[in-house]
Amino acid sequence: MKTMIAGFALAASIFGSLAIVGPAAAETANIWVRADGSNFMPRIVDAFNKGHENQIKLDIIPNAEIIPKYGAAAAGGTAPDALSLDLIYTPAFSAAGQLEDITDWAKSLPYFASLSPAHVKTGTYKGRIYGLPFSADSSVLIWNKKLFKQAGLDPEKGPTNWAEIEADAEKVNALGGDIKGFYFSGNCGGCNIFTFTPLIWASGGDILSEDGSKATLDSPQLRGAIDLYRSMVKKDLVPSGAQTDTGSNFFAAFAAGNIGISPSGAFAIGALNTQYPDVDYGVTFLPGKDGGWSSFAGGDNFVVTKGTTKLPVVKEFLDFAYSLEGQTILAKYGSLPVRGDIAKDALKDLDPRYQIAAEAMAKGRTPYSVVFNDLINSANGPWTQMVNEVFFGDDVDGAISNAQETMQSIIDQAPQK
């Protein structure tokens, strides 16, 4: 009898041990994304969920709500496990201590060196990595081929320096009627950091120091780019509505088909192809005064909420997003690839104009600041106030001086890198 009892006990012990080491239950991680990602994010989440035991629950948050909502949720302990966060805000949330330090994991990725450097830079705070690239958009210059041809220009050749931008815009403008040579959103800080600043970068200037600790607005490069825009405004090459445009016509003005040249973003390729197929357009780089080119690197960083228990699931999802399958899904539905080593493969079946945008992305830059919103995006901030005045007002020197002083004051009161 004792032998039988011992045998049952041994069997129970064995089966109990087997139960303990059996497969772990699948887990679900919650991820947020801003509405700008509502085309590609559900598709990559769906592809991941179909092929993995662990799952992702996705919440899409309105653009204007995601930053304050995440800040409040992180402070209150109800934040999602991870977030696709506009990369410009990564330094601020890193400085606030709300993000997980993912340095070791990031640097262990075999393709780490191929990830978008601008994204990685904004994802780094005090030498540690808190965000990795997820989605990307580059700034480019687009031109209307039909209008170029009508104006006697080569429809297959976009401008390669500032003089060509203005000269080409003048020729298109001369067609008359409701046709204008050039368009930009003159009262939109975000639009102009995205498309105007690359003109400065490509000419050797900058608006902030590398670490974001100094405002560097008063430079020959900035003044030269301002002169370009002012000259085109003075010559009536730009529609009058540009002066008050806060961004609502940033894309729509060109899409209407009566604008010759406009700075824009890679997103315009997909939007024009699907929504405005009759607009024949070209894509090129945003040039410097005498040539060369640069781009703003926009998009999102993938960040992890500090203290999440779902880090393995989050890592598994990001590994999938970084695979060729994942990068191809992102590219197909609206994001440029963030892995430079496989970008061409991810884009090979898409419109070849995306290759220009991807090349621009590879050299893309993003100003680094823990107070980016206060400096740049805020409607009452120094950058927005300055650009509208210097493009359309009478006191260029005063506008630059005021913006320089105000930006430096905001920077000096903020936590530093």
Side-chain angles (χ1 to χ4, degrees):
M1 186 70 175
K2 288 182 180 179
T3 303
M4 289 178 63
I5 293 173
F8 286 132
L10 178 60
S13 175
I14 292 172
F15 285 114
S17 298
L18 287 174
I20 291 172
V21 299
E27 292 190 288
T28 299
N30 181 213
I31 293 176
W32 287 3
V33 66
R34 54 177 168 149
D36 279 353
S38 60
N39 195 34
F40 57 78
M41 196 64 157
R43 288 174 168 85
I44 195 166
V45 166
D46 184 57
F48 174 84
N49 286 344
K50 286 179 178 177
H52 296 78
E53 288 192 11
N54 290 324
Q55 299 286 286
I56 296 296
K57 176 184 178 293
L58 176 67
D59 290 320
I60 299 172
I61 313 296
N63 290 341
E65 297 177 18
I66 192 165
I67 298 303
K69 186 170 184 175
Y70 181 72
T78 59
D81 300 294
L83 173 74
S84 181
L85 174 70
D86 188 336
L87 80 169
I88 62 174
Y89 295 110
T90 320
F93 281 105
S94 302
Q98 294 171 323
L99 304 180
E100 192 74 30
D101 183 336
I102 55 175
T103 307
D104 294 341
W105 170 47
K107 291 187 174 179
S108 73
L109 297 172
Y111 43 80
F112 176 71
S114 297
L115 295 176
S116 166
H119 283 68
V120 174
K121 178 186 174 184
T122 59
T124 303
Y125 178 72
K126 292 187 175 180
R128 306 297 292 177
I129 298 173
Y130 295 89
L132 284 173
F134 189 78
S135 62
D137 189 20
S138 61
S139 47
V140 293
L141 193 67
I142 55 179
W143 77 93
N144 186 307
K145 291 185 176 183
K146 178 181 177 181
L147 295 181
F148 264 47
K149 186 175 182 178
Q150 289 177 359
L153 297 166
D154 183 348
E156 301 303 321
K157 183 180 182 298
T160 60
N161 56 51
W162 295 357
E164 289 181 4
I165 289 176
E166 187 165 5
D168 291 351
E170 284 188 85
K171 289 185 177 180
V172 170
N173 207 71
L175 294 172
D178 62 351
I179 295 172
K180 289 294 182 180
F182 192 81
Y183 192 85
F184 66 99
S185 297
N187 198 28
C188 175
C191 307
N192 283 292
I193 198 71
F194 187 57
T195 58
F196 179 71
T197 314
L199 302 176
I200 301 166
W201 291 333
S203 304
D206 211 332
I207 65 165
L208 290 173
S209 61
E210 186 71 14
D211 64 356
S213 65
K214 297 293 181 185
T216 59
L217 289 177
D218 197 353
S219 69
Q221 293 87 357
L222 173 71
R223 288 179 176 273
I226 289 170
D227 289 344
L228 170 66
Y229 272 35
R230 285 181 69 87
S231 177
M232 290 192 288
V233 169
K234 186 177 181 179
K235 293 177 180 179
D236 201 30
L237 309 183
V238 180
S240 59
Q243 183 170 357
T244 56
D245 182 10
T246 57
S248 59
N249 283 324
F250 178 63
F251 166 73
F254 183 86
N258 59 350
I259 299 295
I261 304 168
S262 182
S264 191
F267 71 89
I269 300 172
L272 287 167
N273 290 353
T274 56
Q275 300 172 42
Y276 303 91
D278 293 335
V279 176
D280 189 12
Y281 68 98
V283 176
T284 190
F285 305 111
L286 284 162
K289 180 179 181 180
D290 300 314
W293 53 272
S294 188
S295 175
F296 187 100
D300 283 10
N301 269 334
F302 193 85
V303 300
V304 180
T305 299
K306 189 175 181 63
T308 179
T309 60
K310 305 294 179 65
L311 191 57
V313 184
V314 169
K315 288 180 177 180
E316 187 179 15
F317 173 71
L318 195 57
D319 282 338
F320 174 75
Y322 283 153
S323 70
L324 180 57
E325 180 183 356
Q327 291 290 285
T328 302
I329 292 171
L330 286 169
K332 184 177 180 180
Y333 293 105
S335 168
L336 291 174
V338 294
R339 272 188 64 180
D341 57 328
I342 59 174
K344 286 186 177 180
D345 289 333
L347 292 166
K348 66 182 176 64
D349 295 327
L350 302 181
D351 187 314
R353 286 171 287 203
Y354 277 114
Q355 296 288 354
I356 298 292
E359 192 175 345
M361 186 68 213
K363 282 181 65 173
R365 299 170 63 174
T366 311
Y368 186 101
S369 177
V370 297
V371 285
F372 187 99
N373 189 64
D374 294 336
L375 296 177
I376 307 298
N377 280 351
S378 171
N380 298 314
W383 173 256
T384 301
Q385 296 294 309
M386 182 198 74
V387 293
N388 191 256
E389 175 63 25
V390 297
F391 295 152
F392 301 100
D394 298 322
D395 188 6
V396 174
D397 290 341
I400 294 174
S401 177
N402 289 339
Q404 170 70 29
E405 183 178 345
T406 305
M407 286 179 77
Q408 193 59 55
S409 176
I410 294 171
I411 292 167
D412 289 343
Q413 296 175 48
Q416 296 302 307
K417 181 179 177 181

